[in-house]
Amino acid sequence: MKKKVTLKQIARELDVSISTVSKSLRNSPEISEDTRQKVQAFAKLYNYKPNNIALSLKNRKTKTIAIIIPEIVHHFFATVISGIEQVANENGYNVIVCLSNESFDKEVINMEMLANGSIDGFILSLSKETQFKADFHHITEVINQGMPVVMFDRVTNEILCDKVIIDDKTAAYDAVQSLINQGRKKIALVTTVDYVSVGKLRTDGYTKALLDNDIPFDENLIVKIEDIDNSEKQISDLLSGGEIDAVFAVNELFAVISVKIATKLGLNIPTDLSVVAFTDGIISRYSSPTITTVSQNGIKMGQKAAKMLIDRIESESEEEEHYKTEVIETHLIERETTISQKNATL
Amino acid sequence: MKKKVTLKQIARELDVSISTVSKSLRNSPEISEDTRQKVQAFAKLYNYKPNNIALSLKNRKTKTIAIIIPEIVHHFFATVISGIEQVANENGYNVIVCLSNESFDKEVINMEMLANGSIDGFILSLSKETQFKADFHHITEVINQGMPVVMFDRVTNEILCDKVIIDDKTAAYDAVQSLINQGRKKIALVTTVDYVSVGKLRTDGYTKALLDNDIPFDENLIVKIEDIDNSEKQISDLLSGGEIDAVFAVNELFAVISVKIATKLGLNIPTDLSVVAFTDGIISRYSSPTITTVSQNGIKMGQKAAKMLIDRIESESEEEEHYKTEVIETHLIERETTISQKNATL
DNA sequence: CTGAAAGCGCTTACAG
DNA sequence: CTGAAAGCGCTTACAG
């Protein structure tokens, strides 16, 4: 078991100073060709690699970025991480992943712990509880310390920083419009509770689409799901009414559950009932029938977020004010839960 | 924008030495009650938090562990991360995630980069390419430096270290046996290429089950899939033969594709064709029909791996030889692709 | 061309 | 009870 070798040890072995070793390895022109080669040969032999922690302390930057997300067992977030990781790696950064598990406290603890020198910047998506409490002091604090933060997907207007989002409202509007174009009139909405920012925006888009098409808004066609485990009954009640001819769901889980229940109720999809959902993931692709969804390119969101963060980290200027919000485009991926028009977008 | 405050600054403000500040904050009995309180009050006011990097350098441990996995956009790996993260957090560790993307080079680069002081230990699952090349020098090297390594799922016998696995062979055997118990005789196998360790083991289990039940082994009933994108034709050819009455797939993706193709071919599931697959994930639960699978508890594997790693990190003794291999139990989750016996295990 | 010194932010054995 | 010194592993401005 040969332990990692340090500059000090090399210096001692070669009977030169630590400075000389350091400079030799960094190819400083100060050092004679002779000693440089000797040191480099020795270092190579012992497989010397500089200690990252020491470098971090010296340089006051760690070349690592932290991602704080509510959940990882969730295809969308996994794709975002994947995108971040790719760009981070290309730029020599490592990635620390922390899960808030939708808990405010855990989000705060994680951020505070990492803000103390461990990382160069944050990429984060708010936990449900944080959105519910609308308490963002931990984020403000970190930003005030001069640490760059990029938020994505679940963001808030109360924090000024770089952001990467999709246009949830417009995308929802377009999705609902596509149902209307197919002649659907009784369009139900299966959504989250209001404090989830994206759920709210998607609900707004739904409402606006109805309005613009002179379709009466009906409270009774809306189900707000707080807890996924109890959702079946709510959706079942909704669909049993019999009136409904389309469902717009704010995520694919709500959609697939709706599809299952509808099928059980003897409804034919898409003849009796069309279904469109947010966020194209694994489930939509493999459920039967496959589900028409709004794509939300997590890879691209992650890449963009990482790029923005690294730019911010590496830019000398501290011009705090030029925060940007990037909007990633979405599109509808038509599958079997809407009338098969065979003009699938992808 | 108030920057992070350091001991040095506090010392200067309070006109005491850095040592005194440090000791005061750590409640050293050496310090007088008076100064202790004064320093603590001041530190609190300025929200002092020690710099993690400095502590890491001083203590020669970073309280972070690295996970190296082939892919994150894969439900199983996401659950493992989730399990690791939970245990890590409970023990005050952070988690760095690196993706090899099934590439040998990226696996090596990531490990070498992190091994230089950034982390206290590794949890890893081999990339396909690494398994194919059977080149594990990067892992041996890290272990030789005294850094603990825990491997999970995709492991190798060529490396001595702690491991967390399931008994792939037995689980496969049991799954196939369950098909045989239902009276299935022509059981096809949809598997990976042989160099993927778990694919190989599952294939072995399949073969043994047939043997033990005096069912002739038939080369033609086996499809080895190298590239998922080209799998449809291979599986289609397999199922078109018409002879087959069951499919055993080594992962749920292969299973759901088989189910789709079978349905398209007009086969009734499970009457004409039973399907059992490895690794219970999102797809199996939401496909229609839902798929009978061997559960592989990723959360538990992750928790166990993290526990083993942290124990190893924190144990003083360097008894390298007592490496353990933990086997996580699996069980069959019966769903709609096997004859509905209503005795679902879960 | 080489090396001693200072410093990144901290801790702790030791002196006073 | 307080503080100077050494040290974790490195880099770099400065002296010689």
Side-chain angles (χ1 to χ4, degrees), chain B residues 99-116:
Chain B
L99 310 180
S100 65
N101 285 321
E102 304 286 10
S103 142
F104 173 76
D105 287 344
K106 221 185 149 203
E107 189 175 293
V108 172
I109 290 171
N110 276 326
M111 286 197 75
E112 288 184 347
M113 155 156 270
L114 292 170
N116 300 120

Side-chain angles (χ1 to χ4, degrees), chain B residues 119-160:
Chain B
I119 59 151
D120 295 342
F122 286 101
I123 294 177
L124 77 94
S125 192
L126 296 169
S127 81
K128 270 189 200 159
E129 205 187 343
T130 307
Q131 294 198 115
F132 179 64
K133 293 182 114 146
D135 180 348
F136 310 111
H137 77 276
H138 51 303
I139 304 172
T140 322
E141 204 160 277
V142 161
I143 293 175
N144 282 341
Q145 282 169 198
M147 173 145 324
V149 172
V150 176
M151 300 182 77
F152 74 91
D153 198 52
R154 276 142 66 159
V155 305
T156 171
N157 287 327
E158 296 189 33
I159 296 283
L160 285 180

Side-chain angles (χ1 to χ4, degrees), chain A residues 17 19-20 23 30 32 35 58 60:
Chain A
S17 74
S19 329
T20 302
K23 286 175 190 160
E30 279 186 272
S32 74
T35 40
K58 183 79 189 151
R60 298 139 127 284

Side-chain angles (χ1 to χ4, degrees), chain B residues 166 168-169 171-179 186-193 198-207 221-225 228 231 235 238-239 244-261 269 273-281 283-284 291-296 332 337-338:
Chain B
I166 59 168
D168 285 285
K169 187 169 172 181
Y173 183 97
D174 293 346
V176 173
Q177 183 66 55
S178 82
L179 290 170
K186 284 279 193 182
I187 303 171
L189 171 67
V190 182
T191 185
T192 59
V193 284
V198 294
K200 177 70 165 62
L201 288 167
R202 292 167 193 175
T203 300
D204 290 350
Y206 161 84
T207 310
L221 299 186
I222 298 184
V223 173
K224 295 191 181 178
I225 291 174
I228 190 83
S231 60
I235 295 177
L238 174 76
L239 296 179
I244 290 159
D245 58 14
V247 167
F248 172 53
V250 300
N251 62 51
E252 54 169 11
L253 215 49
F254 292 173
V256 75
I257 294 171
S258 302
V259 167
K260 288 219 175 234
I261 292 172
I269 296 175
L273 189 77
S274 278
V275 178
V276 174
F278 245 90
T279 312
D280 183 52
I283 296 176
S284 306
I291 299 171
T292 295
T293 54
V294 175
S295 81
Q296 183 180 8
L332 207 61
T337 55
T338 52

Side-chain angles (χ1 to χ4, degrees), chain B residues 20-38:
Chain B
T20 302
V21 177
S22 175
K23 286 174 191 161
S24 300
L25 293 175
R26 324 199 97 241
N27 283 315
S28 159
E30 279 186 273
I31 303 294
S32 72
E33 183 63 20
D34 216 43
T35 40
R36 204 164 58 74
Q37 295 212 336
K38 188 177 63 176

